[in-house]
Amino acid sequence: MKVVLLLGDGMADEPITELGGMTPLEFAETPHMDRVAREGMTGLVSTVPDGYDAGSDVANLGLLGYDAVEFYTGRGPLEAASMGIDLGPGEVAYRCNLVTISDGLMADFSAGHISSEEGASLLSSLQAAVSGVRFHPGISYRNLLTVPGGAGGAGTPPHDIVGEPIGPFLPSGPDRDLLLACMDAAEETFSRHPVNSARVASGLPPATGIWPWSGGLRPALPPFAERFGVRGGMISAVDLLNGIARYAGLEVIRVPGATGYLDTNFEGKARHVLAALDHLDFVYCHVEAPDEAGHMGSIEEKVRAIERVDDMLGMILDGFDGVVAVMPDHATPIRVRTHTRDPVPVAVRGLGRDATTRYTEREAGNGGLGRIQATELLPILFDQARH
Ligand SMILES: [Zn+2]
């Protein structure tokens, strides 16, 4: 028997007045999720260990069986893997946003969602001005900085300090001086860069600097195949998830048209899940769209994204008769427009059944799986799957 985990990023939410006191999961038309709940089991999963931010990194690592407390080294090294950057021993990777800092305040954590081409041009000029580190242009404002022989260091996620003075949040830790020197060089180089002149002329925010954060060495994840005795694959449009997959030795399956946004190729993803099950025992299929809608604070888009995930689930249930689980990695409630630490609902087909009749946050609280930790989920699915 084989296992599929369909992950709707950020699907879980809170009751919303505009939806008559229902959550988006309760309000949305989700016949397939409800069928899995009715014919299967539900429960609540705690995906964020105490002391960690409610990030997709920590939550998804845990669901794949890797406890963050033991294995998490930062977001930088996970995204390095997904960009094909092979971190050497002692090499530290930082996330390196292009940002707009204005009057000492973090005005924009994305420099106006600067284009990848503009970002690459800025970083290439910066690379020529500094030594001892490497800049790796990524997508839009999301780039990487690697430090061979780095010692690591903390940095605050820039999206958490929008509108605040940057002073208290500048990098700390052993790499601090090097990172501050890079930030100074960026400020100087970018201030007279043609990319920024053109942006300002078009009324767009300039990238005034870089912001390094979440640095770490590559995590030592024991291979997924050894841990669970099965071959697995990852389907996701998000660098972070593909990075985790590479470190864990999961096959990274690319789906044309998968964007990580609300216009993603939902149907193509579901078809690729079914195709991958020809040669794999496990597929982790991640859909970013509900999280994106949560961050936008759009009730309508969130409901629509959930319904599209439900369509995907329907295709998977039709084409595959093994164990299927559906869940988010964390909640992204419309009210707060960011992630929360609340336990999230899971529904599973293939583990027997309980009394639940719908897949919702509230009903899952009474489900037969009870309340479990993220790292406990796959062992439960695989033990059952081998019977
Ligand atoms: Zn997430």
Side-chain angles (χ1 to χ4, degrees):
M1 282 287 263
K2 301 186 173 195
V3 174
V4 171
L5 200 166
L6 177 59
L7 194 122
D9 202 299
M11 283 198 298
D13 211 301
E14 300 168 357
I16 296 177
T17 312
E18 290 91 325
L19 299 180
M22 285 185 271
T23 69
L25 271 178
E26 287 170 337
F27 182 84
E29 293 283 333
T30 54
H32 304 104
M33 292 178 190
D34 293 341
R35 184 177 130 208
V36 169
R38 201 167 57 244
E39 298 176 358
M41 303 271 275
T42 66
L44 286 178
V45 187
S46 295
T47 56
V48 185
D50 289 343
Y52 287 79
D53 289 337
S56 291
D57 44 11
V58 165
N60 285 283
L61 263 183
L63 289 171
L64 284 164
Y66 301 100
D67 189 351
V69 177
E70 193 175 348
F71 295 109
Y72 183 70
T73 59
R75 178 168 286 215
L78 295 178
E79 294 196 2
S82 74
M83 289 167 71
I85 300 165
D86 209 4
L87 293 177
E91 189 170 15
V92 173
Y94 290 86
R95 266 293 303 272
C96 180
N97 281 43
L98 290 167
V99 297
T100 307
I101 294 164
S102 174
D103 296 332
L105 306 179
M106 178 63 69
D108 190 331
F109 69 90
S110 71
H113 284 77
I114 193 164
S115 74
S116 303
E117 294 70 31
E118 290 169 308
S121 172
L122 288 164
L123 291 177
S124 149
S125 301
L126 177 56
Q127 185 69 69
V130 298
S131 54
V133 303
R134 276 196 64 76
F135 295 96
H136 307 266
I139 295 172
S140 181
Y141 60 92
R142 304 192 302 270
N143 306 284
L144 279 182
L145 165 60
T146 54
V147 183
T156 309
H159 50 265
D160 285 351
I161 55 169
V162 173
E164 296 186 43
I166 60 167
F169 304 106
L170 289 168
S172 57
D175 288 341
R176 178 175 185 270
D177 290 347
L178 181 61
L179 297 176
L180 289 176
C182 290
M183 292 172 79
D184 286 345
E187 194 181 335
E188 163 69 17
T189 305
F190 294 177
S191 67
R192 47 189 166 73
H193 200 281
V195 160
N196 275 333
S197 320
R199 287 183 67 81
V200 171
S202 310
L204 297 168
T208 62
I210 59 166
W211 190 268
W213 58 284
S214 207
L217 299 165
R218 62 179 290 160
L221 301 186
F224 188 86
E226 279 172 25
R227 235 163 143 81
F228 294 106
V230 302
R231 291 202 301 162
M234 169 69 72
I235 295 180
S236 173
V238 175
D239 290 347
L240 177 67
L241 273 288
N242 291 325
I244 294 172
R246 283 177 53 127
Y247 284 135
L250 294 168
E251 183 178 323
V252 174
I253 300 158
R254 302 282 180 181
V255 178
T259 60
Y261 293 102
L262 295 160
D263 63 352
T264 199
N265 182 0
F266 293 92
E267 199 184 315
K269 276 191 172 171
R271 268 189 275 111
H272 276 76
V273 170
L274 296 174
L277 289 163
D278 280 346
H279 69 285
L280 297 176
D281 307 297
F282 169 66
V283 179
Y284 195 92
C285 180
H286 167 265
V287 185
E288 178 77 353
D291 181 63
E292 198 67 28
H295 287 296
M296 285 163 49
S298 169
I299 299 172
E300 192 183 326
E301 292 288 2
K302 187 151 190 192
V303 167
R304 190 175 308 156
I306 289 169
E307 291 178 345
R308 298 310 305 275
V309 174
D310 192 70
D311 293 340
M312 291 175 65
L313 178 62
M315 289 177 65
I316 293 167
L317 294 173
D318 281 350
F320 169 65
D321 59 9
V323 172
V324 178
V326 62
M327 65 183 304
D329 48 351
H330 51 74
T332 309
I334 296 284
R335 179 180 65 82
V336 291
R337 296 177 61 168
T338 187
H339 307 167
T340 62
R341 322 175 58 82
D342 304 326
V344 294
V346 61
V348 185
R349 179 187 77 178
L351 293 185
R353 63 198 296 171
D354 61 19
T356 345
T357 59
R358 288 199 64 200
Y359 174 66
T360 68
E361 296 86 348
R362 278 183 260 230
E363 285 220 22
N366 302 316
L369 290 172
R371 185 162 170 166
I372 60 173
Q373 300 297 315
T375 49
E376 294 176 302
L377 181 67
L378 278 195
I380 291 173
L381 301 184
F382 284 123
D383 276 341
Q384 187 63 32
R386 281 198 209 96
H387 292 164

